[in-house]
Amino acid sequence: MIIHNNVPFLTLLLFFSSRQNNSSRMGCFGFLKVMMFVFNGIIFLAGAAILGVGIWVKVDSGSILGFLKGIKDAPAEMNQILNVGYLLIAVGAVLLSVGFLGCCGAMKESRCMLLMFFVIVLVVFIAEVAGAVVILVFKPLAGQLIEKLGTKVVQNIRKDYGENSDVTALWNATMDTLKCCGFYNYTDFTDSPFEKYTHLYPQQCCHSADFSSCDDTSATIIGCFPKLMQLIDKNTIVIVAVALGIAALEILAMVVSMTLYCIIGSKSD
């Protein structure tokens, strides 16, 4: 008799418990969808930025890559550096596609799009890990390539700076931007047409604004290559932090996409 009287109460309790579980489940599902929008919004914006930089590099013929392309007898490996614009465009396009797939997959609750998103991000993550390993393994070869490049750049400066207007303007713009002098230092301009004619070094090589006094005794500005190495060394922690942040974002995006994939699958069953 006591059990019979408690049946409506137990039924009501089970009903509210079921509704509470469903509400909690839907709340979790909504939170995961919001997280997918946030992750993929960041990925989409990053892709747009990288794509824009890649297009700018290819369109801007006056960039440093345009100068490197004009170097005669440059190392064969230089072609890989000169194609960095195409690489940036490809990476940007992939990130845009990934961001679009993730957002649409979450909004439309499409398991196909979510699965494609997961696979693409996984492939990108594996490629990034492989690239990091390759950079670490072949780091000595990079040093040799830079040494060969430096030799050719210095030869080009001594041949054309002060005589070829394009080369002169490009180097002046580069030195003004980076606040540096030559590739290694001011001696890169020794025996150049500019130095032979003026017996001086470019104004960017001296702290003094007086062009007429920039000689070998006052040219103390660091070279552009050492300046770049200093900037990289100074910002190594930031670079590593950004790389780890991107990796963490990719892992979280994969976890969230696969969780949504499973939840949507269980709803349709």
Side-chain angles (χ1 to χ4, degrees), residues 4 10 77 90 111 123 148 157 166 169 177 197-198 236-237:
H4 177 73
L10 292 175
E77 298 88 343
R111 299 186 77 202
V123 171
K148 293 179 182 178
I157 291 174
D166 292 335
T177 302
Y197 179 75
T198 64
T236 298
I237 296 178

Side-chain angles (χ1 to χ4, degrees), residues 36-58:
M36 277 293 289
F37 280 114
V38 172
F39 290 154
N40 288 283
I42 296 173
I43 292 173
F44 188 88
L45 291 176
I50 294 173
L51 181 63
V53 172
I55 294 174
W56 173 77
V57 168
K58 295 307 299 179

Side-chain angles (χ1 to χ4, degrees), residues 187-236:
T187 59
D188 297 342
F189 297 97
T190 302
D191 295 330
S192 67
F194 178 86
E195 194 271 337
K196 288 179 179 178
Y197 179 75
T198 64
H199 302 290
L200 296 170
Y201 292 96
Q203 181 180 345
Q204 294 88 346
C205 296
C206 297
H207 289 285
S208 173
D210 184 6
F211 170 75
S212 62
S213 64
C214 190
D215 52 23
D216 56 353
T217 60
S218 56
T220 56
I221 301 296
I222 191 172
C224 295
F225 176 67
K227 185 67 173 287
L228 285 174
M229 292 298 99
Q230 281 186 358
L231 290 174
I232 293 174
D233 292 339
K234 184 179 179 180
N235 296 285
T236 298

Side-chain angles (χ1 to χ4, degrees), residues 16-254:
F16 281 111
S17 177
S18 176
R19 288 196 61 180
Q20 186 177 5
N21 290 336
N22 288 336
S23 177
S24 176
R25 185 176 179 183
M26 291 304 296
C28 180
F29 181 71
F31 173 75
L32 291 175
K33 288 180 69 174
V34 171
M35 293 301 294
M36 277 293 289
F37 280 114
V38 172
F39 290 154
N40 288 283
I42 296 173
I43 292 173
F44 188 88
L45 291 176
I50 294 173
L51 181 63
V53 172
I55 294 174
W56 173 77
V57 168
K58 295 307 299 179
V59 172
D60 184 17
S61 59
S63 66
I64 190 66
L65 291 179
F67 167 71
L68 295 177
K69 189 175 182 180
I71 298 177
K72 297 180 180 180
D73 301 323
E77 298 88 343
M78 186 62 62
N79 292 329
Q80 300 176 11
I81 298 177
L82 296 176
N83 291 328
V84 67
Y86 294 116
L87 176 62
L88 292 174
I89 292 173
V91 171
V94 169
L95 290 179
L96 284 173
S97 301
V98 167
F100 177 78
L101 277 175
C103 288
C104 288
M107 182 175 64
K108 294 185 177 182
E109 299 184 10
S110 170
R111 299 186 77 202
C112 180
M113 286 186 174
L114 289 172
L115 183 60
M116 288 179 62
F117 171 84
F118 176 84
V119 171
I120 293 175
V121 175
L122 180 62
V123 171
V124 170
F125 181 77
I126 293 173
E128 289 172 348
V129 173
V133 173
V134 169
I135 290 174
L136 291 175
V137 172
F138 293 98
K139 190 176 180 179
L141 294 179
Q144 296 176 10
L145 173 60
I146 292 173
E147 185 178 351
K148 293 179 182 178
L149 171 63
T151 301
K152 297 300 179 181
V153 169
V154 172
Q155 290 176 356
N156 187 270
I157 291 174
R158 291 176 177 174
K159 177 183 176 183
D160 294 326
Y161 187 85
E163 187 173 65
N164 186 309
S165 59
D166 292 335
V167 172
T168 303
L170 179 58
W171 267 109
N172 287 339
T174 301
M175 292 188 294
D176 285 334
T177 302
L178 297 178
K179 307 300 180 185
C180 59
C181 169
F183 189 81
Y184 291 115
N185 51 48
Y186 75 94
T187 59
D188 297 342
F189 297 97
T190 302
D191 295 330
S192 67
F194 178 86
E195 194 271 337
K196 288 179 179 178
Y197 179 75
T198 64
H199 302 290
L200 296 170
Y201 292 96
Q203 181 180 345
Q204 294 88 346
C205 296
C206 297
H207 289 285
S208 173
D210 184 6
F211 170 75
S212 62
S213 64
C214 190
D215 52 23
D216 56 353
T217 60
S218 56
T220 56
I221 301 296
I222 191 172
C224 295
F225 176 67
K227 185 67 173 287
L228 285 174
M229 292 298 99
Q230 281 186 358
L231 290 174
I232 293 174
D233 292 339
K234 184 179 179 180
N235 296 285
T236 298
I237 296 178
V238 175
I239 295 172
V240 172
V242 170
L244 291 176
I246 293 173
L249 179 66
E250 291 171 344
I251 293 173
L252 287 173
M254 286 190 288

